Amino acid sequence: METGSSSDSRDKQKTLKGGDIGSMMPQIGPFVPRTEHNPRELRSWAKKTGFISDFSGETTTNVSGKFDSAGLDVQRSHEHSRGGGSSPKIEIDPVLGRTKPNRGSEIELDAEAGHGVRRNGNAGVLGFREGIVRGENERRRVRDEAVLEDKVDERLNGSGPSGNGNGVPVPSVNSVEPKKEEGKDERDVQIDMYPGGEETADGGWHRQPELRFGLRDNRGWVPVIYYGLQHFLSLAGSLIFIPLIIVPAMGGTDKDTATVISTMLLVTGVTTTLQSYFGTRLPLVQGSSFVYLAPALVIINAREYRNLSEHKFRHIMRELQGAIIVGSIFQSILGFTGLMSLFLRLINPVVVAPTVAAIGLAFFSYGFPQAGSCVEISIPQILLVLIFALYLRGISVFGHHLFRIYAVPLSVMIIWAYAFFLTAGGAYNYKGCSPDIPSSNILSDACIKHAYTMKHCRTDVSNAWRTAAWVRIPYPLQWGIPIFHLRTSLIMIIVSLVASVDSVGTYHTASLLVNSKPPTPRIVSRGIGMEGFCSILAGLWGSGTGSSTLTENVHTISITKVASRRAVQLGAVFMIVFSFVGKVGAILASIPQALAASILCFMWALIVAIGLSNLQYTQSASFRNIMIVGASLFLGLSIPAYFQQYHPETSLILPSYFVPFAAASNGPVHTGSKQLDFAINALMSMNMVVTLLVAFILDNTVPGSRQERGVYIWSRAEDLASDPSLQADYSLPRKVCRCFCCARRLGA
């Protein structure tokens, strides 16, 4: 009997140490929950009313009260002696609206009991509820509260997997792990400040599991080369189609078009490399942006250039070069002096979204009117690229979503081959008409009627392949000395501001897509300054437009799941190599104009969609925001239409799709200075400039909270110094920091 009693006492001591309290109270029957009680009522009521708990002591007793009612005084006294009865103090960041991390508590394993319990720096076991909400935001606290109540009810009944059969649950880490996706509605996604990532308690960011290639990943040369070429191929619609618009409008030949395309490939490779090493260091491709296309068309269609016949192309190109260089110098000063850091306080998603959308909407008068010249090619092209990008985007071939990633190049190759068979089959052969004869020399009225169709639809019209050299290296000032005028320089200075606003939105969105924190304002200024320097190079080489961060980078990173800096750098090297092969530019210059216009319809629509997607950082249901965006877009389209109506004679000289860009010479503004009149009329006739002006004024004058406006939250300088991961993402290379004494001033 004594032996038995001693063994019983030892068992009771083990029971106290192990936490198996249920075996000490065999007289208590199993807990029977109330049948009329629905544990999800709190969850649904909190979601409907927006209730946010103050996390006082009542939240702890809400769950632990069930144990108290069951007579678990031993467990309660054990917690009280360890100091675990007090509720943790939760601090809410007034700017971010998130809980500040509490460093005093953590999750660790109890070596004695063998179960995971939650301990505090100056306390003991805190129970179920306390450890779940540590470092989480208010919405997840309310959502997980109901989930925990469900689990407590199940385990008190003995039906849960962690029950011990006596109705008393055993605490464990896995039993309190909150569900991440349950209860997340559409509105939560829209107002999330950081889509695609979740802020942790220490302020870091978790990498998205679906990201194939991280920012600093390097998995060997073969995958890096593959993903680098993939990145640039997915951006083909933005890199090569601008010369197909501006060079024919400037009076250039097919050989000139091939040369400009080769120059653009070289500038794209060089500027992308510079930006990836010395700029923001994000995996973003620099290239000829559509931001510079509208001002280029305005300058091309000026009145004094319409009657030029000899060397018209070279003269207009030199005019564009001078304007781009002056505007780029202003952008470089804005970035490298740090003025952009001050300007960032006034740039928010409500300003960026309509401005970027207006860049794509500005060309609605050019898109299908130009593509409609050959509907048997343009309509299948538009339908095919939409089918690839939307309907077949989920189809995977050997683990790669080919249709979603290569929607533009695949559809172009298919429709180009289709157009070739139409041409070879005689679909565009007209009796007595030759496509080799310029339309100005055609005498037959019947051939004049078909000349436009043959020029835009036939695949054998271009002679770029026959005239282009196999090897040609583009060089600076290849078109001559740039021409500088005040009127064109003023236009490009304002356009460089629009390009900077576009790049700011791209920097912020891309930084979240690559699972990093947003850059600091000084790093953003460094990137804007480097963009200005890259545009100076574009002006010296004569690509026809300035160089900027392509808005489509956001779409490319999102669909390819590749955010490797090394892959983008290797892809830029291939662009430089391709620019030396003249036949590459000749092949691209041979794309029929109707086919190019069809692809541009898709690209401009994509820019509109990407621009409006910036509203995800704001409260998109706010009347303030939707009214500002609506007023900005409407006035951005309507005011330029007023300025564009003052050109009665241009409709008889220019094609209909170029008439809106000819308002600079005939606008209603008359100040007495022809240079100033030209600049003001040109700026007010551009949709993106008017939209930026209206959105900028309204967003910074109409009252609204930071959360409602979706104010961009940039990292701080001390974060760069304390976070090694953030420093590795954005800091300049060490060799560069040693060579330049001003590296600290540039944000490294």
Side-chain angles (χ1 to χ4, degrees):
M1 294 297 293
E2 294 179 356
T3 305
S5 60
S6 61
S7 61
D8 293 340
S9 62
R10 284 195 298 267
D11 292 340
K12 291 182 180 179
Q13 292 177 1
K14 290 182 180 180
T15 301
L16 288 175
K17 291 182 180 180
D20 190 4
I21 306 174
S23 60
M24 298 177 58
M25 296 173 293
Q27 71 278 9
I28 299 179
F31 178 76
V32 179
R34 293 185 301 172
T35 57
E36 69 276 5
H37 172 64
N38 185 5
R40 297 186 179 272
E41 287 181 356
L42 177 60
R43 175 183 177 184
S44 59
W45 173 83
K47 291 186 65 176
K48 291 179 180 178
T49 60
F51 171 77
I52 297 177
S53 173
D54 57 359
F55 203 78
S56 60
E58 63 186 14
T59 57
T60 304
T61 58
N62 186 24
V63 179
S64 62
K66 295 180 174 58
F67 299 97
D68 296 339
S69 62
L72 302 182
D73 295 332
V74 178
Q75 176 73 12
R76 185 172 56 184
S77 61
H78 179 68
E79 292 181 356
H80 182 72
S81 63
R82 297 281 300 271
S86 60
S87 301
K89 183 179 180 181
I90 302 298
E91 298 181 1
I92 305 299
D93 194 327
V95 177
L96 299 178
R98 290 171 170 79
T99 58
K100 291 183 178 180
N102 190 344
R103 308 279 185 181
S105 62
E106 60 185 58
I107 299 177
E108 60 184 20
L109 294 177
D110 190 351
E112 296 179 355
H115 302 288
V117 296
R118 187 169 299 276
R119 297 186 180 273
N120 190 282
N122 54 4
V125 180
L126 296 181
F128 291 97
R129 178 66 187 137
E130 189 175 60
I132 300 173
V133 298
R134 195 85 59 188
E136 300 293 334
N137 54 38
E138 294 297 323
R139 294 193 307 271
R140 294 188 62 179
R141 285 216 333 264
V142 176
R143 180 188 63 208
D144 295 336
E145 195 169 84
V147 177
L148 282 176
E149 289 192 358
D150 294 344
K151 293 181 178 181
V152 170
D153 289 339
E154 290 175 359
R155 290 169 187 169
L156 286 174
N157 287 325
S159 60
S162 300
N164 59 3
N166 293 324
V168 180
V170 179
S172 63
V173 176
N174 296 331
S175 64
V176 298
E177 184 178 357
K179 297 181 181 180
K180 296 183 178 180
E181 296 297 331
E182 185 176 349
K184 193 174 188 179
D185 57 4
E186 186 177 357
R187 185 177 62 182
D188 292 338
V189 177
Q190 291 176 351
I191 65 176
D192 192 3
M193 292 292 291
Y194 298 98
E198 180 184 343
E199 192 176 8
T200 59
D202 59 352
W205 289 86
H206 291 305
R207 170 172 296 178
Q208 294 180 355
E210 66 270 14
L211 198 62
R212 294 184 177 180
F213 230 126
L215 182 62
R216 301 187 304 273
D217 288 350
N218 186 8
R219 303 176 185 175
W221 289 104
V222 174
V224 169
I225 292 175
Y226 169 76
Y227 287 124
L229 291 176
Q230 170 186 277
H231 200 95
F232 281 84
L233 279 176
S234 62
L235 291 170
S238 304
L239 297 175
I240 63 176
F241 287 104
I242 290 181
L244 299 178
I245 299 176
I246 62 175
V247 175
M250 296 163 63
T253 62
D254 297 331
K255 182 180 179 181
D256 294 330
T257 303
T259 303
V260 173
I261 291 178
S262 298
T263 303
M264 194 167 289
L265 293 177
L266 175 64
V267 172
T268 298
V270 173
T271 56
T272 301
T273 303
L274 291 176
Q275 186 68 262
S276 63
Y277 276 104
F278 311 115
T280 59
R281 308 211 68 198
L282 290 170
L284 302 176
V285 175
Q286 308 290 302
S288 295
S289 175
F290 290 114
V291 177
Y292 292 94
L293 179 58
L297 292 176
V298 168
I299 297 174
I300 290 170
N301 292 283
R303 180 187 299 171
E304 53 267 33
Y305 301 141
R306 297 171 190 168
N307 298 325
L308 290 179
S309 58
E310 186 176 0
H311 306 298
K312 177 181 178 180
F313 168 75
R314 287 181 174 270
H315 186 84
I316 299 178
M317 178 62 77
R318 291 162 58 197
E319 186 84 30
L320 290 174
Q321 288 181 261
I324 291 171
I325 291 174
V326 174
S328 303
I329 292 175
F330 172 80
Q331 189 179 19
S332 296
I333 295 175
L334 183 68
F336 289 134
T337 58
L339 294 176
M340 193 65 196
S341 301
L342 303 177
F343 192 49
L344 279 179
R345 303 174 183 177
L346 306 176
I347 302 177
N348 296 307
V350 180
V351 178
V352 174
T355 302
V356 177
I359 296 173
L361 292 174
F363 304 103
F364 74 93
S365 62
Y366 180 90
F368 200 79
Q370 176 76 308
S373 60
C374 190
V375 292
E376 60 271 18
I377 292 178
S378 59
I379 291 181
Q381 173 63 65
I382 294 175
L383 292 177
L384 191 61
V385 71
L386 289 177
I387 290 174
F388 284 171
L390 297 177
Y391 294 97
L392 302 182
R393 69 183 189 276
I395 297 179
S396 177
V397 180
F398 300 108
H400 299 277
H401 295 85
L402 300 181
F403 297 105
R404 182 170 59 181
I405 298 174
Y406 304 110
V408 171
L410 276 178
S411 61
V412 168
M413 288 189 293
I414 294 174
I415 300 300
W416 199 357
Y418 164 69
F420 173 79
F421 286 114
L422 288 179
T423 302
Y428 306 113
N429 292 339
Y430 303 99
K431 186 177 181 180
C433 303
S434 175
D436 299 328
I437 301 176
S439 57
S440 59
N441 298 336
I442 297 178
L443 301 178
S444 174
D445 294 336
C447 293
I448 293 176
K449 182 176 64 174
H450 300 299
Y452 188 80
T453 302
M454 290 188 296
K455 179 181 178 181
H456 288 75
C457 302
R458 294 184 67 95
T459 58
D460 58 354
V461 173
S462 176
N463 59 357
W465 178 262
R466 297 187 295 269
T467 57
W470 276 100
V471 178
R472 184 187 183 278
I473 300 177
Y475 55 91
L477 306 179
Q478 56 186 337
W479 311 114
I481 304 299
I483 300 174
F484 299 93
H485 283 125
L486 177 62
R487 57 178 189 174
T488 55
S489 299
L490 290 176
I491 294 174
M492 286 299 177
I493 287 175
I494 302 301
V495 170
S496 66
L497 289 176
V498 179
S500 301
V501 172
D502 180 17
S503 298
V504 166
T506 305
Y507 292 165
H508 188 273
T509 305
S511 65
L512 302 183
L513 287 176
V514 302
N515 299 305
S516 178
K517 283 186 177 180
T520 64
R522 298 179 68 180
I523 293 175
V524 175
S525 296
R526 188 179 73 196
I528 297 298
M530 184 55 61
E531 280 193 17
F533 178 75
C534 294
S535 291
I536 294 176
L537 298 181
L540 291 175
W541 259 265
S543 62
T545 60
S547 180
S548 178
T549 301
L550 298 181
T551 310
E552 300 86 322
N553 277 290
V554 175
H555 173 69
T556 299
I557 297 175
S558 177
I559 63 175
T560 61
K561 308 300 180 185
V562 175
S564 173
R565 182 190 299 146
R566 182 65 58 84
V568 171
Q569 292 169 350
L570 275 179
V573 172
F574 278 98
M575 294 298 106
I576 297 175
V577 174
F578 291 153
S579 68
F580 297 157
V581 183
K583 295 298 183 181
V584 173
I587 294 175
L588 299 176
S590 302
I591 298 177
Q593 293 187 8
L595 181 59
S598 304
I599 286 295
L600 289 174
C601 289
F602 172 78
M603 298 306 303
W604 289 328
L606 178 62
I607 291 177
V608 175
I610 294 175
L612 295 178
S613 68
N614 285 275
L615 294 175
Q616 65 182 312
Y617 306 111
T618 69
Q619 291 184 357
S620 55
S622 169
F623 176 77
R624 173 195 181 275
N625 295 341
I626 60 179
M627 190 62 210
I628 291 176
V629 173
S632 303
L633 287 176
F634 178 80
L635 294 178
L637 295 175
S638 184
I639 293 178
Y642 168 76
F643 280 80
Q644 293 166 4
Q645 67 182 352
Y646 287 89
H647 43 72
E649 74 279 0
T650 56
S651 59
L652 303 176
I653 302 173
L654 298 175
S656 61
Y657 44 81
F658 282 148
V659 170
F661 302 100
S665 302
N666 307 92
V669 176
H670 300 284
T671 62
S673 173
K674 293 184 177 180
Q675 298 279 342
L676 191 59
D677 292 346
F678 184 90
I680 296 178
N681 288 322
L683 291 173
M684 297 305 294
S685 66
M686 287 188 284
N687 306 89
M688 57 184 180
V689 175
V690 178
T691 303
L692 172 62
L693 181 63
V694 175
F696 183 83
I697 294 175
L698 292 179
D699 184 57
N700 290 281
T701 56
V702 178
S705 64
R706 293 174 60 90
Q707 183 180 6
E708 182 182 15
R709 299 171 61 194
V711 175
Y712 283 137
I713 300 176
W714 306 100
S715 300
R716 297 173 297 177
E718 50 268 26
D719 297 336
L720 186 66
S722 60
D723 191 349
S725 176
L726 186 64
Q727 189 173 12
D729 288 344
Y730 295 113
S731 294
L732 294 175
R734 295 181 179 179
K735 295 181 180 179
V736 178
C737 296
R738 296 189 190 126
C739 296
F740 296 98
C741 298
C742 61
R744 182 178 180 182
R745 182 180 302 176
L746 297 180

